[in-house]
């Protein structure tokens, strides 16, 4: 319900910007753009992100350890076996993608498999499969697409002759500037709220799925330690929300509007979950 409300707010914000820069016609156009963007993202987001990171699909023979863990956890979660990918990268991280459980994929960096033991890797993959089960990737990708559209329209609207009322007269220039500044900020905050709530849920569900929340907590700390020292090569702001740890964790300004909750808080909750599970 919370996610649905946040997505509705994002759509309303897109329509308000359309109304400001183009009246009722502009609002209608923005609504159509929002629907088209969501439809395109629904069908193509997984292919786009996997191609961007040059992910290579693996199977039981080429990556038996990784494939075996995914297969075991997917069966335990009652999910169809997702496609498994490996990304050649020296900075460990992982993400899941796909519009639904029947078209899902999980991807891990080569560095991740090297630094994590079996239980920690299972914790990370349990987290990602939880995203698949709850369709979080689709929700977050749509939110990111809409946030990007809001930012672009707000920044270019006035320069392209927008900011006029129904009579064709220019609106208050100060109001136009405020819209250009505040609309992207509001969109970013909504996107951040969507992503953070889904990360907490995936941590909890992933801890239950792998059977050891402490292993997931340990994996998060290891991944963040690398992320703070070096930004993952090829990482983009548009895809940062998909990873288990923000690949821009080392950038201070990025942390200010991070789509991920603080790792320390995630670890604390996982430790508490582990204690409750073993009482």
């Amino acid at each position: 319900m919370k996610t649905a409300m946040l997505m509705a707010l994002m759509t309303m914000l897109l329509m308000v910007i359309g109304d400001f820069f183009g009246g009722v016609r502009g609002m209608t156009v923005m609504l159509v753009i929002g629907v088209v963007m969501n439809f395109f993202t629904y069908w193509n987001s997984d292919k786009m992100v996997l191609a961007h990171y040059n992910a290579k699909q693996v199977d039981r023979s080429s990556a038996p350890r990784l494939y075996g863990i995914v297969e075991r956890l997917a069966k335990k979660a009652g999910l169809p076996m997702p496609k498994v990918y490996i990304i050649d990268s020296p900075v460990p991280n992982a993400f899941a993608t796909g519009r639904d459980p029947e078209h899902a994929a999980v991807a891990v960096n080569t560095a991740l498999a090297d630094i994590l033991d079996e239980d920690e890797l299972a914790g990370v993959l349990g987290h990602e499969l939880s995203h698949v089960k709850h369709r979080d990737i689709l929700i977050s990708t749509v939110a990111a697409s809409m946030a990007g559209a809001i930012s672009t329209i707000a920044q270019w609207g006035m320069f392209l002759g927008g900011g006029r009322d129904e009579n064709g007269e220019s609106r208050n220039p100060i109001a136009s500037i405020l819209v250009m500044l505040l609309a992207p900020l509001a969109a970013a905050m909504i996107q951040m709220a969507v992503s953070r709530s889904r990360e907490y849920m995936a941590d909890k569900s992933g801890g239950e799925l792998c059977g050891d929340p402490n292993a997931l907590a340990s994996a998060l700390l290891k991944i963040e330690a690398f992320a703070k020292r070096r930004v993952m090569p090829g990482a983009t702001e548009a895809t940062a929300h998909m990873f288990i740890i923000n690949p821009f964790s080392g950038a201070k300004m990025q942390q200010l509007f991070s789509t991920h909750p603080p790792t320390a808080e995630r670890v604390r909750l996982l430790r508490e979950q582990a204690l409750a599970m073993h009482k």
Side-chain angles (χ1 to χ4, degrees), residues 256-277:
L256 189 61
F257 296 103
S258 176
T259 53
H260 293 66
T263 301
E265 178 64 11
R266 297 171 67 182
V267 169
R268 183 185 69 78
L269 292 174
L270 285 166
R271 302 291 192 206
E272 290 180 356
Q273 181 184 2
L275 288 174
M277 287 176 62

Side-chain angles (χ1 to χ4, degrees), residues 158-273:
M158 190 171 68
F159 295 114
L160 296 178
R164 298 180 182 278
D165 60 24
E166 294 295 334
N167 298 319
E169 297 181 1
S170 297
R171 297 182 188 269
N172 188 325
I174 296 177
S176 297
I177 292 172
L178 287 175
V179 169
M180 292 173 63
L181 294 176
L182 296 180
L185 179 61
M189 292 179 67
I190 295 172
Q191 182 194 356
M192 181 177 68
V194 170
S195 296
R196 289 191 173 196
S197 65
R198 311 311 291 187
E199 287 301 316
Y200 281 128
M201 287 180 61
D203 281 345
K204 184 176 186 296
S205 182
E208 294 171 351
L209 185 58
C210 74
D212 187 1
N214 279 323
L216 175 54
S218 176
L220 292 177
L221 291 173
K222 286 184 178 181
I223 298 170
E224 186 183 53
F226 277 84
K228 282 186 174 180
R229 294 199 300 266
R230 181 181 178 186
V231 172
M232 177 183 160
T236 66
E237 292 183 26
T239 60
H241 67 280
M242 300 179 66
F243 289 89
I244 191 168
I245 290 289
N246 190 337
F248 295 100
S249 293
K252 297 300 182 184
M253 285 303 295
Q254 290 285 346
Q255 291 185 55
L256 189 61
F257 296 103
S258 176
T259 53
H260 293 66
T263 301
E265 178 64 11
R266 297 171 67 182
V267 169
R268 183 185 69 78
L269 292 174
L270 285 166
R271 302 291 192 206
E272 290 180 356
Q273 181 184 2

Side-chain angles (χ1 to χ4, degrees), residues 11 14 27-45 48 138 141-142 145-146 149:
T11 302
L14 189 63
M27 183 169 61
T28 304
V29 170
M30 289 305 100
L31 179 60
V32 172
I33 288 176
V35 171
V36 171
M37 283 177 53
N38 289 348
F39 184 80
F40 179 82
T41 301
Y42 179 84
W43 288 102
N44 297 286
S45 61
M48 293 167 63
L138 174 61
T141 302
V142 170
S145 297
M146 294 181 69

Side-chain angles (χ1 to χ4, degrees), residues 92-125:
N93 223 316
F95 67 84
T97 187
R99 61 183 182 269
D100 55 43
E102 287 71 32
H103 300 86
V106 292
V108 304
N109 293 356
T110 49
L112 187 75
D114 292 336
I115 69 166
L116 301 185
D117 63 30
E118 187 113 350
D119 290 339
E120 291 167 339
L121 187 56
V124 169
L125 292 169

